[in-house]
């Protein structure tokens, strides 16, 4: 039973380029969450998605960031025109029940984005 | 914003010592989770506590949820080097997101 998978594990981009981060949830999970983590800090919520729907994007910057979770395939977090301040570890988590319930989130290994 | 404050922020102890990590908030949570994260990896779930006053034990780790469901503690008995890592608490209020604490970085020296 594979866990949450994220790729790539490491991503290097130059300022102004686009970054695409992918997340495949655990089998049977239809709820996906994206978090950002700076060194030695906790995780900051960005966005919560169900299949084909964005449920809560209150933690995501209004510009340059977008997320999707299509009917088929992984969830994608997309950062356009990256800046140095976007350098961080981005984690995806999945859960079976989702918001509105007492649920458990299972995390992937993360993608470490470095912007040069 | 529902903040979860963890203390201490950093902790360095000798192998065999006991320690307690605290997670406090002014908000009520329907459940609270503890995770451990090692460098370069994602958080790994240790436990979920749901009921106020609940105590759960996982080998040498004891987790307690406060009676008012606003705070929690993690006690480790006879710490080992393998316990080294970043310990994170996260609160769930049955909304759309989990609120993560600031983290406690634990180092156990052999």
């Amino acid at each position: 039973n594979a866990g949450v998978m994220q790729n790539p594990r490491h991503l290097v981009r130059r300022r102004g380029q686009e970054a695409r981060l992918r997340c495949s949830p655990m089998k049977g999970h239809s709820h996906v969450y994206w978090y950002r983590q700076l060194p030695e800090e906790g995780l900051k919520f960005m966005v919560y998605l169900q299949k084909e729907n964005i449920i809560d994007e209150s933690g995501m910057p209004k510009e340059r960031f977008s997320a999707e979770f299509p009917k088929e395939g992984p969830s994608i977090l997309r950062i356009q025109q990256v800046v140095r301040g976007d350098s961080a570890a981005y984690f995806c988590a999945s859960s079976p029940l989702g918001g509105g319930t007492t649920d458990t989130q299972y995390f992937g290994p993360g993608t470490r984005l470095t912007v040069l | 914003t529902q903040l979860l404050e963890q203390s201490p922020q950093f902790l360095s102890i000798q192998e065999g010592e006991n320690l307690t990590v605290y997670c406090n908030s002014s908000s009520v949570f329907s459940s609270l989770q503890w995770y451990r994260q090692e460098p370069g990896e994602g958080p790994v779930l240790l436990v979920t506590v749901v009921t106020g006053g609940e105590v759960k034990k996982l080998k040498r780790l004891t987790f307690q949820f406060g009676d008012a469901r606003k705070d929690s503690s993690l006690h480790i008995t006879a710490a080992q080097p393998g316990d080294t890592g970043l310990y994170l608490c996260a609160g769930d209020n049955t909304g759309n997101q989990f609120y993560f604490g600031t983290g406690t970085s634990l180092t156990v020296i052999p």
Side-chain angles (χ1 to χ4, degrees):
Chain A
N1 183 18
V4 178
M5 299 176 70
Q6 289 187 249
N7 67 83
R9 293 292 305 272
H10 299 275
L11 182 61
V12 179
R13 286 287 179 264
R14 296 191 180 277
R15 282 180 297 169
Q17 292 184 321
E18 178 180 287
R20 280 185 176 239
L21 288 62
R22 287 176 289 277
C23 168
S24 296
M26 286 180 70
K27 187 176 181 181
H29 290 191
S30 59
H31 303 267
V32 166
Y33 306 78
W34 285 93
Y35 293 85
R36 178 163 63 180
Q37 185 179 38
L38 295 173
E40 299 296 331
E41 291 189 7
L43 282 73
K44 296 289 190 282
F45 168 80
M46 298 182 73
V47 62
Y48 161 44
L49 310 101
Q50 280 183 270
K51 282 286 187 180
E52 300 185 272
N53 291 305
I54 296 175
I55 307 301
D56 183 348
E57 56 183 349
S58 60
M60 201 150 70
K62 296 286 189 287
E63 297 179 353
R64 302 188 298 107
F65 285 73
S66 62
E68 63 178 14
F69 189 14
K71 186 176 180 180
E72 301 292 336
S75 175
I76 306 285
L77 178 66
R78 182 182 176 203
I79 311 172
Q80 295 178 289
Q81 299 176 325
V82 295
V83 301
R84 289 216 175 105
D86 297 332
S87 295
Y90 292 83
F91 290 96
C92 165
S94 73
S95 69
L97 300 176
T101 66
T102 297
D103 198 6
T104 294
Q105 297 188 3
Y106 298 88
F107 282 82
T111 293
R112 274 133 193 94
L113 172 66
T114 301
V115 180
L116 301 176
Chain B
T1 302
Q2 296 174 285
L3 292 175
L4 280 164
E5 296 286 339
Q6 287 186 242
S7 61
Q9 186 177 359
F10 297 97
L11 186 57
S12 182
I13 62 172
Q14 294 289 333
E15 181 177 0
E17 292 183 347
N18 302 332
L19 67 117
T20 302
V21 174
Y22 300 93
C23 173
N24 296 299
S25 176
S26 57
S27 301
V28 176
F29 293 100
S30 59
S31 72
L32 196 139
Q33 303 182 350
W34 284 93
Y35 293 84
R36 183 171 73 203
Q37 184 179 21
E38 297 187 16
E41 299 296 330
V44 175
L45 179 68
L46 296 175
V47 78
T48 299
V49 285
V50 178
T51 306
E54 181 178 4
V55 176
K56 280 192 174 179
K57 292 194 174 185
L58 185 66
K59 296 182 181 178
R60 294 176 294 101
L61 279 60
T62 302
F63 304 86
Q64 184 164 11
F65 201 12
D67 291 341
R69 304 207 313 275
K70 293 182 179 181
D71 52 80
S72 181
S73 64
L74 159 59
H75 182 78
I76 301 179
T77 303
Q80 299 177 1
D83 296 327
T84 294
L86 179 66
Y87 287 82
L88 296 163
C89 64
D92 171 20
N93 63 355
T94 69
N96 291 324
Q97 59 175 282
F98 281 27
Y99 297 89
F100 274 83
T102 47
T104 293
S105 180
L106 171 65
T107 302
V108 181
I109 303 167

